[in-house]
Amino acid sequence: MTETTPFVKPEHGTMSRYAAMEALGRRLDDALVILSLGGAVDEWYSAAPHMRAASLFQQQLGCVTGEALGLAVGLPHRRIVSLDTDGGLLFNLGIMATVANEQPANLFIVVWDNEQYQSIGGPKTHTASGRVDLAAIARGCGIANAFTVDTLDEFDAHCAAGLAATEPYLLVAKTDGILEPGIKRKHSDGREDKYIFVRHVEETEGIVIMGPSEHN
Amino acid sequence: MQAEAVDAVIRGLKRAGISVVCYLPDSLFKELYPALDADPDIRTIQVTNEGEGAAIAGGVFLSGKRAVLIMENSGLRAAVEHLARMGLGAGIPVVMLMSYRGDLGENNWWAIPHGITMEPILDALRTPYQVIRHADEIEQAIVDASTWSHTAYYHSAVALSGEIVR
C-alpha cells in the first residue's frame, strides 16, 4: 500500500518548475504530452526541446487533462503525459472523477502548482490558502495514485513510478513560482502547434489523421 | 426517444467511423445511452460536464480516432469555453449530437432557455448544424456532420427534435 497521508503545505514552494521539467524531460522518449497555458509553455519548450513536436501546446484552461484522456483512450499503447496546472485543474475538477472511472492505463498527470495565475501577473489560486489539497481530491475521486511533492528528488522518483504505472497516476508538484529567466519564447500559435503535433502522431503511429482531400 | 431513432443514431455513428462517444445523459435521449453502452464497437465515456466531454472528444481526434459528444442542447452552454478555445484557437474539431430541448411544442418552462439559446450559440461559434425531425434523416445527418468536421477541422452539430424525441 502506498503512503497517502495528507500533504502539509509549507509556507512557500521551493522547487523550480524548470528544473522539474528538465528531470521529467530526461525520462521521456516516445510519449505524447499535452500542456496548459502560461509560463509553463515556454519553459517546457526550452526544458525538453526533444519533445517539442510530441507536445501539444494549448492555451486552454480546463481542457488539458480532458484532451490527454481522449488521447490516452485513442492510443492505449502509447504513454500520454498531461502537464496541467492548479488553475487549469480547479477549472474542471470533474475530470479527475472521469479519469478515475475510465482508468486509462497509460495516463500520467503532472499538476504544476505554483498557487497562482502566473500568466496574468500572479493572482493567487485556491491552492494558495493551504486548505485545498488537489491530490486528496484526486484520491477522493478514485485516483489511488495521487501525491504531492515539493522537492526535485521526490518529483523525479514519482515521475519514474508514474511513467511506469498501469493505472492513472497524478502528481501535484509544488513549485516556487519563479519563471526561468532568459528562456526562448515559442513563436507558433495553437493552429500551427496542432499541425506539428498531429504530423508527429501520424509519423510515429503510421496513421493518417489529417489526410488529403478527395480531389486536388 | 423512438427505437428506430436509436438504431439510426448508432448506424450513423458507425458509418461515420466514430468509435468513441462522450456523453452527459439527458432525458430526451434516455433510451440512447444504454444502447451505446451496450454496443461492442463503441467506447462510451460518461463525463461530468459537456465542456469536459468536448475536451476529451478533441483529444480523441488528435489520436486519429473519431469521437462524438452527445448531450442535451443545454450542454452547449457549458461547453462554449472549451469549444471556442479548441475550435477557433487550434482547429481541433468536435462533432456534436444534441437533443433539441425547448423547440416549439416544448411544455416544460425550464427548457425554454435551451431552445432560445441553442441556435444563436451555434451561430456565434460559427458551427454549422442541422435540425432533424424525422428518424429517416438521422443517419445521413451524422455522417455529413462528421465528414464536414474532418474536412474543415471545425465543429459541427446535429440537433434531434420533433417526433424523434417525443
Side-chain angles (χ1 to χ4, degrees), chain B residues 32-47:
Chain B
L32 177 61
Y33 301 110
L36 292 166
D37 287 338
D39 194 297
D41 300 328
I42 293 171
R43 162 84 182 258
T44 52
I45 300 175
Q46 184 168 334
V47 299

Side-chain angles (χ1 to χ4, degrees), chain A residues 92, chain B residues 22-23 47-58 68-69 86 94:
Chain A
N92 176 27
Chain B
C22 302
Y23 72 74
V47 299
T48 65
N49 69 71
E50 295 84 351
E52 176 189 309
I56 296 169
V68 67
L69 171 60
M86 286 197 300
V94 178

Side-chain angles (χ1 to χ4, degrees), chain B residues 27-84:
Chain B
S27 54
L28 292 180
F29 284 171
K30 185 177 158 194
E31 295 82 2
L32 177 61
Y33 301 110
L36 292 166
D37 287 338
D39 194 297
D41 300 328
I42 293 171
R43 162 84 182 258
T44 52
I45 300 175
Q46 184 168 334
V47 299
T48 65
N49 69 71
E50 295 84 351
E52 176 189 309
I56 296 169
V60 171
F61 163 77
L62 295 168
S63 80
K65 299 216 166 53
R66 292 192 176 195
V68 67
L69 171 60
I70 301 184
M71 60 190 176
E72 185 179 76
N73 58 351
S74 58
L76 190 58
R77 298 197 299 263
V80 162
E81 165 69 7
H82 304 71
L83 290 169

Side-chain angles (χ1 to χ4, degrees), chain A residues 56 58-60 62-63 66-67 69-71 73-75 92 94-95 98 102 190-191 194 198 201 207 209-211, chain B residues 43-49 52 55-56 59-65 81-82 85-92 153:
Chain A
L56 187 66
Q58 297 287 270
Q59 300 286 335
Q60 297 163 359
C63 282
E67 285 183 58
L69 173 60
L71 258 183
V73 166
L75 297 171
N92 176 27
I95 188 61
T98 303
E102 296 303 319
R191 210 164 278 268
K194 180 202 68 169
V198 163
V201 175
I207 59 174
I209 300 172
M210 301 176 75
Chain B
R43 162 84 182 258
T44 52
I45 300 175
Q46 184 168 334
V47 299
T48 65
N49 69 71
E52 176 189 309
I56 296 169
V60 171
F61 163 77
L62 295 168
S63 80
K65 299 216 166 53
E81 165 69 7
H82 304 71
R85 285 186 183 263
M86 286 197 300
L88 294 166
I92 296 172
Y153 305 117

